[in-house]
Amino acid sequence: MNYYSGNDIYNYINSVNHCKFANDNFWLVIYGTKIDRKPRLIIALSGYETSEFKTKTLKPNEIEWLGYAKQISSKSNVPWIYVRFDKNNTKVSELKIMTQKRTMSLVNIDFYKSLLEYFGFTLVDKNTQSKEFNTGGPANIYQVWQMKISNDMISSDIDLIKVNNENLITDVYELKRSKISINSWEPFKADYHNFELLNHLFIKANIKFHITYNEFSQDENGRKDNIQNIKIFDVKPTQSFEFEKPSIINLHDFFKFY
């Protein structure tokens, strides 16, 4: 099972040189606490088939994105870990992890929970390792499990990055889409805490943060993205979530200005 493989705007932007989109069952996830939206941990998260779960090797896209995780960690002083889960399992019982010590280990859930507590998270449900979860959609089983074990933990994926000629991250784009008119859509207030979490990290790492939006329509054949025009919100490098006046531009012009 592949949870998510992108959409038209992902595919278009990802085809452009210097733009990178994490896919193929891999996520770069930032974890923090609700009370202050401060980033505490960067997790390079990967879902594997059961037959490959315990291998010691990394796939090429994992090596690439683990490099970006280390790069953000180095610039922001927020620690990173690599976490691999069995994507075919209905419960989380063991994980493969790699810490900054660079060794890959198979660990049980009690050990991993202790690791999360070490990074400053308060865990509330001590018995979730024995429960089965239905993801109910595109979410992966690890992230469903993670949401069950802590009331103070928030997380947000990094959607798309832009790198320069030295392969250093310069910009990050949060990609949003819905049926709402492009002229009226603005970031939902319910998402502000996630945007603040990301923005706090990118301020530390000296990375520009943008939110992009495009409309889609839906019929019996599925969703159809309208990517002729996109709306751009440049997020201000402030502790609270604020953005500049948005602009609507042609997607082809996007790469001239961004």
Side-chain angles (χ1 to χ4, degrees):
M1 172 184 177
N2 289 330
Y3 297 100
Y4 192 62
S5 58
N7 56 46
D8 288 347
I9 193 167
Y10 275 80
N11 296 336
Y12 182 89
I13 295 178
N14 195 43
S15 70
V16 176
N17 194 24
H18 299 315
C19 288
K20 310 285 185 178
F21 163 50
N23 55 12
D24 295 331
N25 299 295
F26 185 88
W27 301 262
L28 193 56
V29 192
I30 313 306
Y31 287 84
T33 46
K34 288 181 181 178
I35 190 169
D36 55 11
R37 276 82 67 193
K38 298 298 185 184
R40 293 182 180 270
L41 185 62
I42 301 168
I43 295 186
L45 180 64
S46 195
Y48 264 62
E49 297 287 348
T50 303
S51 60
E52 301 177 316
F53 169 67
K54 293 184 179 180
T55 61
K56 295 183 179 180
T57 57
L58 296 176
K59 298 175 181 178
N61 72 306
E62 291 179 295
I63 295 172
E64 179 183 29
W65 278 85
L66 187 54
Y68 294 133
K70 294 174 183 178
Q71 186 183 131
I72 296 173
S73 174
S74 176
K75 295 174 70 175
S76 65
N77 291 317
V78 176
W80 66 268
I81 60 173
Y82 166 88
V83 176
R84 180 190 298 173
F85 65 96
D86 181 348
K87 66 179 185 178
N88 298 318
N89 208 330
T90 56
K91 60 182 179 181
V92 179
S93 57
E94 57 183 6
L95 299 163
K96 293 276 286 191
I97 67 169
M98 183 193 308
T99 67
Q100 291 176 268
K101 294 180 179 179
R102 309 297 200 273
T103 55
M104 183 92 75
S105 303
L106 181 67
V107 302
N108 61 33
I109 290 305
D110 287 337
F111 178 91
Y112 185 66
K113 286 181 175 180
S114 297
L115 187 62
L116 292 178
E117 289 176 326
Y118 170 79
F119 287 116
F121 298 107
T122 302
L123 307 186
V124 295
D125 188 341
K126 301 298 183 181
N127 298 311
T128 51
Q129 69 268 30
S130 62
K131 296 179 181 178
E132 294 190 0
F133 299 114
N134 181 354
T135 64
N140 65 64
I141 191 63
Y142 172 90
Q143 289 174 304
V144 173
W145 171 80
Q146 165 257 303
M147 289 188 290
K148 300 284 187 179
I149 63 169
S150 176
N151 287 332
D152 75 336
M153 184 186 293
I154 58 173
S155 66
S156 189
D157 300 6
I158 290 180
D159 288 338
L160 189 90
I161 65 173
K162 182 179 180 181
V163 298
N164 62 18
N165 290 332
E166 288 74 44
N167 206 36
L168 299 176
I169 302 169
T170 60
D171 300 76
V172 169
Y173 304 93
E174 176 80 5
L175 306 185
K176 296 294 185 181
R177 64 174 181 161
S178 77
K179 296 180 182 178
I180 298 173
S181 164
I182 194 171
N183 294 308
S184 59
W185 188 89
E186 289 194 348
F188 296 148
K189 291 189 182 300
D191 292 332
Y192 275 25
H193 61 295
N194 284 338
F195 296 143
E196 287 183 11
L197 171 67
L198 291 174
N199 201 34
H200 288 160
L201 178 71
F202 300 143
I203 290 171
K204 286 173 169 284
N206 194 28
I207 293 171
K208 296 177 183 177
F209 182 31
H210 317 274
I211 299 171
T212 74
Y213 175 77
N214 73 283
E215 279 184 67
F216 70 78
S217 57
Q218 190 162 11
D219 57 25
E220 64 274 8
N221 297 316
R223 291 181 178 180
K224 181 175 177 58
D225 284 287
N226 178 357
I227 62 171
Q228 180 177 356
N229 294 312
I230 58 175
K231 194 172 188 178
I232 310 292
F233 299 81
D234 295 331
V235 180
K236 295 181 179 181
T238 56
Q239 293 302 306
S240 59
F241 176 65
E242 302 175 61
F243 49 82
E244 304 288 354
K245 182 179 179 179
S247 56
I248 298 175
I249 63 175
N250 184 280
L251 183 60
H252 299 288
D253 291 335
F254 174 83
F255 300 103
K256 296 179 183 178
F257 303 106
Y258 289 88

